[in-house]
Amino acid sequence: MTKSKHKLTDVAREMMSGVVQIHVEGYIEEDIQSILNPSIKIPGIWSGSGFFVKFKNLEGYIVTNAHVIRNAYKVEISSMLTSEERFDTEIVGLVKQLEPDVALIKLTDEELKRFKKTAIQPIAYLELSEKTNPSRGEAIKAIGYPLGMVEPNITGGEITNFISGSELTTERFVTNAAINPGNSGGPSINENFEVVGLNTAMMVNAENIGFITPASFVKIIIENLLLFNEPHFADIGGKLQKNAENFNLFLNQSQAKGVIVSKVLKNGFLESAKIQPYDVILSINQVEFDRHGIVMGKEGIYRHKNIFDIIKLIPIGQEVEITYLRNGKRETTKAFAMRDPQKGIVSNPILNERAYLEVFGMIIQPLSFEIIQAIQEIDPYSQVDLLKVIDQDQPMLVVTHIYQGTEADEMEWSIGELITQANHQEVHTLEEFQKVVEDNRGKSILIKCLSGTIGYFNVEESIKFGI
């Protein structure tokens, strides 16, 4: 493809040959029953979009949204180059938490050969833009297969706005180009034959507001997926809060500039940099921040980029320079970018990866963010105790289902109970809990919960664990 500027419509027509439709068979992950009782899996079929990506010397690799293939057990693609033929793919990896919503799949070796043999022309590999700062008002075209259409659809629009990232989310571009269900995973392209970003979502109940995952994040994800199967961004490794003039005397600062470090997490980036609570971070790699943590200078006029957006785009392992204020004195330190410190309570959205025990008439699982959210929909009061343990270093076990007429039901146990002890031993994992139960076959076992609830269960000699 030539690099000189062309009419955007002509560019889109040429690039759409690299866009594919993705056909998925999998489990419907939104079903609360499946989250609280993993033995229940609701099958479903759906479709999305993707595109062959130009990356190093890779062949047959396709970028899409993670939500398109998450919890899939069969993923096929079709292309306008190959009539209505379908081709099997393998999942290389995906961002399980959908932040950002990116996944990488590939044609199997045999299917790549068959695709090349069937295609009416060579595969068009689309190039990710090197530009990290598109302009508001920049024209784009979104390409994909919305609503299950069998031919690629092209919609036009502009980059209309930007949404800053946060501690838990990544930056997104906003567009007025129509993005509908099925468009997810397709590219948004510019007149330079480049992919600006990945069509990710639409705003429900709003007109002409869609979201694009920037190509800069997609590149980092691809690199990480090829190396680790699951990507991680650099993380600040602590809690930050807005600065204010009221803090001037306390922090010995002349004006409220930069963000306050309110907490330093163990084994995190800030600890590695020897940053302490109440230090004020003024800049990272010479990028300065105002008291809200927003990037200052010319870039800040046109973009609402913040400190989290800056840190996430630094490759893990790269040295980072931090300028900060401590007791009124300006200091500089360096540390290597690293991922967020591992917590005991994590996200686990992949249904087939959820381990559980079925014993004493109840389902017991490691506590995860998905379980907290599901329990909130059933019993909002249970969530209060669950949220208290999110930041702890150790995992926790939670009761997610009670079968009627069982021992647990007779003792009036409820969903959301957090198990802390079994026969006076602390238990944090399913393996620890199962070992205590197995060691007491033919006896009874006392189980205690964080709420104070107790249970005294008979352990049968022939007890079997449903896992």
Side-chain angles (χ1 to χ4, degrees):
M1 295 180 183
T2 57
K3 285 291 184 178
S4 58
K5 288 190 177 181
H6 290 69
K7 187 177 179 182
L8 186 53
T9 301
D10 296 332
V11 172
R13 283 201 197 100
E14 188 172 340
M15 293 182 73
M16 74 179 180
S17 63
V19 182
V20 301
Q21 187 167 27
I22 299 176
H23 310 271
V24 182
E25 295 179 34
Y27 300 117
I28 301 173
E29 60 186 66
E30 292 85 1
D31 191 274
I32 293 177
Q33 291 183 78
S34 298
I35 296 173
L36 300 181
N37 187 349
S39 65
I40 300 172
K41 292 185 174 71
I42 311 298
I45 57 173
W46 59 89
S47 66
S49 304
F51 62 91
F52 286 105
V53 63
K54 183 177 181 181
F55 193 82
K56 298 182 178 178
N57 296 317
L58 298 181
E59 274 197 296
Y61 282 74
I62 297 161
V63 170
T64 185
N65 282 147
H67 80 257
V68 171
I69 63 164
R70 194 167 74 170
N71 289 307
Y73 50 76
K74 184 176 180 63
V75 181
E76 296 177 310
I77 65 152
S78 59
S79 164
M80 62 182 295
L81 301 180
T82 57
S83 186
E84 294 186 0
E85 293 289 330
R86 291 192 179 188
F87 301 85
D88 288 329
T89 70
E90 300 171 342
I91 296 175
V92 178
L94 68 153
V95 183
K96 297 176 183 177
Q97 288 75 40
L98 309 183
E99 286 295 343
D101 194 349
V102 181
L104 190 64
I105 62 177
K106 67 183 286 286
L107 289 170
T108 63
D109 292 341
E110 287 301 315
E111 292 291 74
L112 178 58
K113 292 177 185 176
R114 187 166 74 90
F115 190 101
K116 289 180 176 180
K117 186 177 179 180
T118 308
I120 58 176
Q121 67 184 51
I123 294 173
Y125 287 95
L126 308 189
E127 189 169 356
L128 296 168
S129 174
E130 296 285 346
K131 189 177 178 182
T132 60
N133 297 310
S135 302
R136 187 181 278 104
E138 181 175 322
I140 62 161
K141 293 283 187 180
I143 310 175
Y145 290 80
L147 307 174
M149 292 180 180
V150 296
E151 296 185 15
N153 190 65
I154 299 173
T155 57
E158 302 174 339
I159 300 292
T160 59
N161 209 341
F162 307 94
I163 295 181
S164 301
S166 68
E167 183 182 0
L168 300 175
T169 62
T170 50
E171 183 185 33
R172 287 180 176 85
F173 300 155
V174 182
T175 181
N176 58 358
I179 296 177
N180 295 296
N183 252 62
S184 295
S188 284
I189 58 100
N190 63 20
E191 62 185 2
N192 296 319
F193 290 93
E194 296 172 330
V195 175
V196 175
L198 194 62
N199 303 334
T200 297
M202 62 177 180
M203 177 70 80
V204 180
N205 298 325
E207 290 189 21
N208 301 327
I209 296 181
F211 300 106
I212 298 169
T213 299
S216 52
F217 283 114
V218 176
K219 278 189 174 182
I220 292 177
I221 293 299
I222 293 175
E223 190 75 57
N224 287 347
L225 286 176
L226 293 172
L227 293 174
F228 307 114
N229 189 44
E230 185 174 357
H232 296 286
F233 288 114
D235 181 81
I236 200 72
K239 302 293 184 183
L240 307 176
Q241 76 173 73
K242 185 187 299 186
N243 204 341
E245 296 296 332
N246 282 24
F247 288 117
N248 286 354
L249 183 61
F250 175 68
L251 298 173
N252 198 18
Q253 61 184 15
S254 58
Q255 66 177 114
K257 180 180 171 185
V259 289
I260 301 170
V261 176
S262 57
K263 184 177 182 181
V264 175
L265 298 179
K266 186 178 180 182
N267 300 320
F269 172 70
L270 290 181
E271 183 184 72
S272 175
K274 296 182 170 52
I275 295 292
Q276 300 174 8
Y278 311 140
D279 286 347
V280 178
I281 296 178
L282 302 173
S283 70
I284 291 178
N285 286 349
Q286 284 80 53
V287 177
E288 295 187 333
F289 309 104
D290 67 14
R291 75 182 188 92
H292 304 275
I294 304 301
V295 173
M296 297 173 62
K298 184 178 180 180
E299 186 177 8
I301 298 174
Y302 304 105
R303 292 279 292 282
H304 215 58
K305 264 188 161 180
N306 62 33
I307 188 169
F308 298 109
D309 297 324
I310 298 301
I311 195 74
K312 282 186 174 74
L313 284 174
I314 300 173
I316 290 176
Q318 182 174 305
E319 192 172 57
V320 182
E321 182 180 277
I322 307 171
T323 301
Y324 63 99
L325 197 70
R326 178 179 294 169
N327 297 322
K329 186 178 179 182
R330 191 181 179 97
E331 306 274 2
T332 299
T333 184
K334 293 182 179 181
F336 294 104
M338 63 176 67
R339 61 159 297 186
D340 59 314
Q342 285 283 63
K343 291 288 185 183
I345 312 304
V346 297
S347 178
N348 188 14
I350 309 300
L351 297 182
N352 283 337
E353 294 180 1
R354 289 181 183 149
Y356 67 98
L357 292 178
E358 185 175 326
V359 64
F360 308 133
M362 54 188 171
I363 298 290
I364 301 170
Q365 298 186 66
L367 183 62
S368 68
F369 292 116
E370 290 74 23
I371 290 173
I372 293 174
Q373 186 174 4
I375 289 177
Q376 180 191 23
E377 295 190 34
I378 295 174
D379 181 4
Y381 297 104
S382 294
Q383 195 206 30
V384 175
D385 283 337
L386 299 178
L387 291 175
K388 291 177 183 177
V389 299
I390 283 179
D391 281 334
Q392 73 165 28
D393 296 327
Q394 294 262 36
M396 291 203 78
L397 299 178
V398 61
V399 176
T400 59
H401 185 76
I402 303 288
Y403 292 100
Q404 292 184 4
T406 61
E407 291 180 272
D409 186 36
E410 289 294 321
M411 295 181 197
E412 293 192 339
W413 276 45
S414 59
I415 292 174
E417 291 286 3
L418 295 166
I419 296 174
T420 56
Q421 290 184 9
N423 270 9
H424 307 291
Q425 295 181 39
E426 279 195 22
V427 287
H428 294 278
T429 65
L430 292 177
E431 292 77 15
E432 291 172 350
F433 182 84
Q434 184 173 346
K435 185 177 186 308
V436 175
V437 175
E438 288 180 334
D439 288 346
N440 288 276
R441 286 180 183 272
K443 303 175 185 177
S444 294
I445 183 172
L446 177 68
I447 302 176
K448 186 175 180 180
C449 300
L450 184 66
S451 66
T453 297
I454 61 171
Y456 197 60
F457 299 99
N458 297 314
V459 184
E460 299 176 4
E461 288 284 0
S462 59
I463 188 170
K464 291 184 179 179
F465 292 95
I467 299 179

